[in-house]
Amino acid sequence: MNRNAGNIDLLHEALKMLAARFSVTLPMARTIASNFRNEMKSGLAGYPCRLKMLPAFLGKPDGNETGTFLALDFGGTNIRLMLVELLGGRRYRIVRTRSFPLKEPLESCDYTSAKATGETLFDYIAGHIKDFIDHERIYDLGHTFSFPSRQVGTNEACLICWTKEIRTRQVEGEDVNRLLMEALRRNGIENVRPVVILNDTVSTLLAAAYKDADCDIGSICGTGHNTCYLERCFKGQGPMIINIESGNFDQLPFTIYDDILDGRSDRPGEQRLEKMVGGHYLGEIVRLAVVDFIEKNMFPINLEEDSPLRMPYFIKGEHLSLIMADENPGLSKAAAWCRDCLRINDPHWELLISLKTVAEAVSKRAAFLAGATYIGIMDHIGYRCSNHTIAVDGSLFEKMPGFSDNIAKIIKDLIPEGDLIVKVVKAKDASGLGAAVAAAMARTSSSFQ
Ligand code: GLC
């Protein structure tokens, strides 16, 4: 295709419009926060609503929990095993850790696909546990399971439905720790006792609260997105952490690309916030927008039928981070990525700047949307009753350029003036430390502190 000034003007115009379409203004963020708060109230009152508001049967730790625990982190991409020693006095030590993928690199084996069952999946996990442990001692295991599960106590969690496009059969509706226990038994592992199961947001909150008593919100901005918080008095029983499953919130300003992505997903209409914030989806939104631009002749390239850019979910969160971090005047890193990964030999400036502009707009929107929901939660808890620490874990928060700053910015812009202190922090060692803290709490008679 020939480049001409008309097309380039059109591109600049389109990029401007696109940035505007992805922008979350302060009034929009306020409305989102307030609708989110109302939805939380409905969920807590038991009305049908988008937020599941799942009790975790855990309160807050006091930082004096002690003991050595095995932690299993099941997030959907990798499995992580950790041996964690809680030393009391808000101190801890990660003794040992090991990760392994749920999908083999060439996808010869994929435990997250519909070909796998709960039994094969948990046998695979049990096999790794066997290699990790010392067979002479007894372990209490805390299981961070990052999917919506209905709990009736600390050690029983039925998976309501998979999210993040996982499809493993015969797990939905099942008690996940029972599946784990049966697999341990089948694999001859008798010295590991699963004692608690918790969502990754809850692990994040507990890990941060073990060190910082002000922490009352835990959130994940990684492959998926979700938040939990400490409800100060749940049903008259005392403090209880509630897993909001906020990824399912849907009173949001969708673009055409969000609707296309949603329509082609495993569960259209569900997890709409997560589909705008989760790292699993951000690259795909950018890809859809860029391909649309190309098809509207705004880029001087011919896109082959088998071009990687035509492959759904080809662009990953880490690719966006690489493009966004490229400060070179010629965007040389982004250009190298286009050559090596997209097989576009001579990537034009227009393509590069478009990728960067769209990636920045999509990432900023994600951070602002997450931040707006945190405001909704703080509105619900009550601003003035205490300072708040919001602990966040996940690859976007940690690694995507500008993401954590954008969260801090929207919070600063939205909170009422006054003496309130809100800190947004990275939760260190969240899944392992949180699972260990939960295991220690579950061992004591009352976890409602
Ligand atoms: C998905 C899951 C949720 C989890 C989040 C982050 O939204 O439904 O339970 O907390 O991903 O991993």
Side-chain angles (χ1 to χ4, degrees), residues 52 54 74-76 145-149 161-164 199-202 219-227 243 245-248 271 274:
K52 295 190 177 67
L54 303 165
F74 183 144
F145 182 70
S146 312
F147 298 92
S149 309
C161 58
W162 284 122
T163 48
K164 299 179 276 194
N199 188 258
D200 52 351
T201 55
V202 180
S219 185
I220 303 288
C221 293
T223 309
H225 172 62
N226 183 20
T227 304
N243 167 16
E245 284 296 327
S246 61
N248 202 31
Q271 299 295 107
E274 181 164 71

Side-chain angles (χ1 to χ4, degrees), residues 105-334:
L106 295 172
E107 302 198 13
S108 54
C109 206
D110 181 356
Y111 292 96
T112 62
S113 80
K115 286 191 194 137
T117 63
E119 199 171 304
T120 51
L121 167 67
F122 281 99
D123 275 343
Y124 173 69
I125 296 173
H128 280 281
I129 293 180
K130 201 170 190 169
D131 288 345
F132 186 76
I133 55 170
D134 174 349
H135 292 273
E136 317 306 288
R137 56 186 285 193
I138 307 273
Y139 297 90
D140 281 349
L141 177 143
H143 183 179
T144 299
F145 182 70
S146 312
F147 298 92
S149 309
R150 198 167 302 285
Q151 300 198 217
V152 290
T154 44
N155 202 21
E156 199 180 322
C158 287
L159 173 63
I160 299 171
C161 58
W162 284 122
T163 48
K164 299 179 276 194
E165 317 291 310
I166 309 269
R167 300 187 184 105
T168 316
R169 285 176 297 118
Q170 295 162 16
V171 187
E172 286 180 335
E174 299 293 328
D175 170 7
V176 177
N177 252 9
R178 185 183 54 76
L179 295 180
L180 173 65
M181 280 184 234
E182 287 171 0
L184 291 173
R185 213 174 304 137
R186 272 196 303 278
N187 287 271
I189 305 165
E190 279 163 16
N191 56 332
V192 174
R193 301 185 303 216
V195 293
V196 69
I197 182 161
L198 64 165
N199 188 258
D200 52 351
T201 55
V202 180
S203 277
T204 301
L205 193 160
L206 292 178
Y210 187 68
K211 293 175 278 183
D212 169 358
D214 283 341
C215 182
D216 52 7
I217 296 177
S219 185
I220 303 288
C221 293
T223 309
H225 172 62
N226 183 20
T227 304
C228 75
Y229 75 104
L230 184 78
E231 177 68 38
R232 287 199 158 66
C233 189
F234 181 71
K235 297 193 170 160
Q237 292 169 33
M240 168 82 91
I241 299 176
I242 305 289
N243 167 16
I244 301 175
E245 284 296 327
S246 61
N248 202 31
F249 184 66
D250 69 349
Q251 295 171 51
L252 296 161
F254 302 118
T255 66
I256 173 83
Y257 308 112
D258 298 305
D259 289 337
I260 296 173
L261 181 149
D262 178 55
R264 294 178 185 165
S265 68
D266 280 358
R267 294 175 185 270
E270 287 176 35
Q271 299 295 107
R272 295 300 308 259
L273 176 65
E274 181 164 71
K275 286 170 183 162
M276 297 163 93
V277 177
H280 181 70
Y281 302 98
L282 297 192
E284 179 63 2
I285 302 174
V286 172
R287 192 193 69 81
L288 288 168
V290 171
V291 170
D292 186 33
F293 278 20
I294 292 173
E295 283 172 352
K296 290 188 175 135
N297 277 356
M298 289 180 211
F299 293 156
I301 58 167
N302 269 327
L303 210 53
E304 306 294 331
E305 272 316 302
D306 64 347
S307 163
L309 206 47
R310 290 202 188 274
M311 277 168 62
Y313 291 92
F314 184 83
I315 303 183
K316 312 275 184 245
E318 62 261 31
H319 300 148
L320 300 186
S321 292
L322 179 149
I323 294 165
M324 288 162 67
D326 190 353
E327 298 293 345
N328 300 315
L331 295 180
S332 55
K333 286 188 192 145

